[in-house]
Amino acid sequence: MSKGLLVVVSAPSGGGKGTILKELFSRDSNLVFSVSATTRSPRPGEVHGKHYYFLSREEFQKLISEGKMLEHAEYCGNFYGTPKGPVEAWREEGKDVFLEIDVAGGAQIKRLVPDCVSIFILPPSMKVLEKRLRARGTEEEAVIEKRLLTARKEIPCAKDYDYIVFNDRLEDAAADLASILKAEKLKYTRNTDSIERVLNNAETFR
Ligand code: ADP
Ligand code: 5GP
């Protein structure tokens, strides 16, 4: 069995990360979502341990000082981070692990795990992004303004990612993400034993 992919997905707030991944996960049971820790308050409907681990600043700092975070960053006044624990174990089990993280976290993971697959989701325009963020209705006006300002700084970072997915129609964006995964798994560098296997009549394709 080959090792699973480590997939970094970033987008400005309201870019569609959550929606696209939900669609993708409903079709493929081999995918695992890494639940992040955060110091922000839960939105209505968000569940501790499912959407995030909601921690106090003190609890968050403790995890960092104990070396239990793979990466962490501050975003719009709150801390967010990826717990180290299960990521490598899942990959060894052949599961593809998804990190839905901001651009600062994405850059840290790229340095730490050079064979990760990084994907930036772009909205059709700033106008559409604003409309979607407002329609989601999960943030107050001041927070929306802050997130839109941050988006203008995040979007140029798309150039540092391996792939761009345009989130115009949801179905197309989810299908494009699935195609990226498929192509990544077929890279020679992820199948270096394939030639030997054919020559030795192993006849097992994964
Ligand atoms: P993110 O997780 O990147 O912050 P969300 O997945 O929460 O973004 O999407 C923001 C809002 O935009 C949500 O209300 C979602 O339903 C909506 N949305 C996402 N993708 C599309 C799309 N392709 N077409 C229309 N609405 C979308
Ligand atoms: P939200 O508050 O909308 O859930 O997330 C705000 C931003 O924090 C998004 O860009 C999201 O991808 C990012 N984020 C979520 N979890 C993590 C994490 O573990 N690490 C980092 N660096 N960013 C994260």
Side-chain angles (χ1 to χ4, degrees), residues 17 36 40 43 52 71 80-82 100-102 147:
K17 301 177 287 294
S36 295
R40 86 151 160 76
R43 293 174 186 143
Y52 279 107
E71 62 72 36
Y80 295 80
T82 305
E100 191 194 306
I101 60 180
D102 80 330
R147 287 184 173 228

Side-chain angles (χ1 to χ4, degrees), residues 11-20 100 132 135-136 167-170:
S13 185
K17 301 177 287 294
T19 310
I20 294 170
E100 191 194 306
R132 287 181 184 168
R136 189 170 73 185
N167 183 18
D168 187 2
R169 282 186 61 235
L170 177 62

Side-chain angles (χ1 to χ4, degrees), residues 9-14 17 33-38 40-41 43 46 51-52 54 60 69 71-76 78-83 99-106 108-109 133 136 138-139 143 147 150 154:
V9 179
S10 300
S13 185
K17 301 177 287 294
F33 179 75
S34 161
V35 179
S36 295
T38 183
R40 86 151 160 76
S41 310
R43 293 174 186 143
E46 281 185 331
H51 299 95
Y52 279 107
F54 295 100
F60 196 96
M69 289 288 199
E71 62 72 36
H72 66 274
E74 189 176 352
Y75 173 90
C76 288
N78 283 302
F79 291 101
Y80 295 80
T82 305
L99 308 185
E100 191 194 306
I101 60 180
D102 80 330
V103 293
Q108 292 173 53
I109 295 293
L133 196 52
R136 189 170 73 185
T138 49
E139 273 84 20
V143 177
R147 287 184 173 228
T150 304
E154 293 173 307

Side-chain angles (χ1 to χ4, degrees), residues 20-74:
I20 294 170
L21 290 191
K22 200 169 163 200
E23 174 74 19
L24 198 70
F25 274 56
S26 70
R27 302 183 201 165
D28 189 342
S29 60
N30 198 46
L31 313 180
V32 179
F33 179 75
S34 161
V35 179
S36 295
T38 183
T39 60
R40 86 151 160 76
S41 310
R43 293 174 186 143
E46 281 185 331
V47 177
H48 180 80
K50 182 178 175 200
H51 299 95
Y52 279 107
Y53 295 105
F54 295 100
L55 305 180
S56 66
R57 284 184 171 242
E58 292 70 29
E59 288 168 325
F60 196 96
Q61 286 300 339
K62 190 163 178 274
L63 287 181
I64 295 173
S65 58
E66 289 172 348
K68 290 183 177 161
M69 289 288 199
L70 197 56
E71 62 72 36
H72 66 274
E74 189 176 352

Side-chain angles (χ1 to χ4, degrees), residues 10 103-104 120 151-162 164:
S10 300
V103 293
F120 198 97
R152 292 203 168 266
K153 294 186 196 139
E154 293 173 307
I155 287 172
C157 298
K159 70 176 188 349
D160 300 322
Y161 282 66
D162 300 324
I164 298 295

